[in-house]
Amino acid sequence: MIRMGEHLGWGSVMQPLRELQSAWEQQWPEAARASRYRALRDDELIWEAQRAALAFCEDRQLRRLTPGLLATITEASDNVESLEGIELIIAAWWVGREVSDDEYRAWGARAVRGYADHA
């Protein structure tokens, strides 16, 4: 997953995960070597499955979430009425991480009202 994240342009986000993985492997080397997942996984098969999923998304012309697009969406998240589709879903995820539960519910209610008013 880390390799795919880097492949998709999220290297700066993946770096802390790489560091965490490395720290875990150094802190518990026996557990890292004995990991059932690690023992049974096939890295090349996993990479091929990830590439196939990416090719499917590209074939369907799904929009790729890049760090730049995420920044644009998060900046626009205050103006929830202007968001649609995947941008609205991503904004909801972002806002849910950044604000209190009450603020998130208010944000969601604003979104619903905005769409109901335009229906």
Side-chain angles (χ1 to χ4, degrees):
M1 294 299 253
I2 292 171
R3 184 165 55 165
M4 182 54 76
E6 291 169 340
H7 178 76
L8 292 172
W10 290 92
S12 63
V13 175
M14 295 296 110
Q15 186 57 36
L17 293 177
R18 262 203 197 281
E19 291 168 6
L20 181 63
Q21 178 185 25
S22 178
W24 178 75
E25 289 171 349
Q26 290 174 9
Q27 190 169 1
W28 295 290
E30 290 302 315
R33 281 193 296 278
S35 164
R36 187 172 184 188
Y37 166 74
R38 178 170 276 188
L40 297 175
R41 77 177 187 208
D42 179 337
D43 287 335
E44 197 53 39
L45 179 61
I46 292 168
W47 180 240
E48 285 301 319
Q50 290 172 339
R51 284 200 302 230
L54 181 60
F56 176 84
C57 293
E58 289 172 345
D59 184 58
R60 298 300 183 276
Q61 299 179 347
L62 298 179
R63 195 167 176 189
R64 183 181 286 190
L65 181 62
T66 63
L69 178 57
L70 180 58
T72 299
I73 292 170
T74 58
E75 289 171 12
S77 65
D78 284 340
N79 186 13
V80 66
E81 297 83 2
S82 69
L83 299 169
E84 295 181 341
I86 193 68
E87 286 83 7
L88 178 62
I89 294 168
I90 294 167
W93 164 77
W94 179 260
V95 171
R97 292 174 36 135
E98 299 296 313
V99 302
S100 71
D101 288 347
D102 288 340
E103 291 170 312
Y104 184 68
R105 280 191 283 280
W107 183 88
R110 232 176 49 234
V112 170
R113 272 193 312 276
Y115 289 106
D117 290 346
H118 292 95

